[in-house]
Amino acid sequence: MWQEGLVLPADRAALFGGPGATVWLTGLPGAGKSTVARLVERALVTAGRPAFLLDGDNLRHGLNRDLGFSAEDRAENVRRAGEAALLLAEAGLVALAALVSPGAAAREAVGARHREAGVPFLEVHVATPLATCRERDPKGLYRRAAAGTLVGLTGVDDPYEPPRAPALVLEPSRTPTPESAAAAVLALLGERGLVRVAEGLAARHDPPRPT
Ligand SMILES: Nc1ncnc2c1ncn2[C@@H]1O[C@H](COP(=O)(O)OP(=O)(O)OP(=O)(O)O)[C@@H](O)[C@H]1O
Ligand SMILES: [Mg+2]
């Protein structure tokens, strides 16, 4: 039987500066999900709004360490990340998820779990074109796929299904820098009443590094 707690969502929202929610960034490898999510996480935490990033790469070191890259394992990877995000959001945080999450059905199932729980779920499509991802290739995955040493790379020889109804689409033509993309995510959270748009909620620029 479901065990009801004594703390109301409104009590948590008062404590955390807004209701818990999940922002789910999906897109091709190298699209910029981790980069944007890190900036959003820092902007929120710096402004006093608890947030936590679930990065697909990091989850594969622990919670999802037993999973590979078959279609079934990718779906299970997304399901578990979705459950973890939901727990964080129910606890009152802004959960940020940065996972390729190539399957539309698996992502929609995560959205459905959030709806059942009455927790906002914002799907953000980091819609960087494949050619740009390939040029950036921050982890050398596209290079390895081209060399034939990596099989089953999403966007190359594994499918990517874009979101059917994303809350936000980030395209490099409109948000060319990571900071501008993060600002668009923060604006979305503000519009939905999930964060108080206080001063200091802009994605901060890093100070120049000493040379
Ligand atoms: N507008 C932009 N938004 C995000 N990243 C950008 C943008 N413009 C350039 N970049 C660069 O693109 C790269 C994106 O890499 P990142 O690791 O964030 O991708 P990812 O989507 O998390 O990939 P993966 O699925 O492999 O983890 C970074 O080097 C980042 O600096
Ligand atoms: Mg990443």
Side-chain angles (χ1 to χ4, degrees):
M1 281 178 64
W2 185 261
Q3 303 296 306
E4 214 50 70
L6 299 176
V7 180
L8 299 174
D11 300 329
R12 294 188 204 279
L15 197 62
F16 284 94
T22 294
V23 178
W24 190 279
L25 296 105
T26 172
L28 294 170
K33 303 175 295 295
S34 297
T35 303
V36 174
R38 277 195 293 261
L39 290 173
V40 173
E41 182 189 34
R42 184 177 63 182
L44 290 171
V45 172
T46 304
R49 177 71 162 106
F52 192 76
L53 169 58
L54 299 168
D55 195 290
D57 273 348
N58 297 354
L59 295 182
R60 282 184 180 275
H61 283 86
L63 179 64
N64 294 341
R65 71 178 356 146
D66 57 323
L67 300 175
F69 292 88
S70 66
E72 297 71 33
D73 279 10
R74 285 176 183 273
E76 176 61 10
N77 188 49
V78 167
R79 190 192 70 79
R80 288 187 202 168
E83 292 296 327
L86 179 54
L87 289 170
L88 291 177
E90 285 184 306
L93 284 79
V94 176
L96 300 156
L99 287 90
V100 173
S101 44
R107 292 191 310 266
E108 281 163 17
V110 173
R113 288 281 297 141
H114 281 70
R115 266 195 305 284
E116 281 163 25
V119 174
F121 176 78
L122 306 178
E123 201 177 1
V124 176
H125 185 199
V126 186
T128 310
L130 177 63
T132 308
C133 296
R134 206 192 287 276
E135 271 168 39
R136 289 182 186 167
D137 204 11
K139 297 182 199 159
L141 298 175
Y142 291 97
R143 205 167 353 102
R144 284 171 53 202
T149 55
L150 177 66
V151 181
L153 182 63
T154 302
V156 177
D157 55 356
D158 228 49
Y160 179 77
E161 298 167 354
R164 286 183 263 253
L168 177 67
V169 180
L170 296 174
E171 285 165 290
S173 56
R174 303 190 62 178
T175 50
T177 63
E179 288 76 15
S180 58
V185 175
L186 292 165
L188 172 70
L189 284 165
E191 275 162 33
R192 300 289 173 101
L194 298 169
V195 296
R196 285 190 215 110
V197 187
E199 62 288 343
L201 204 55
R204 202 175 71 196
H205 288 260
D206 280 313
R209 293 215 182 95
T211 47

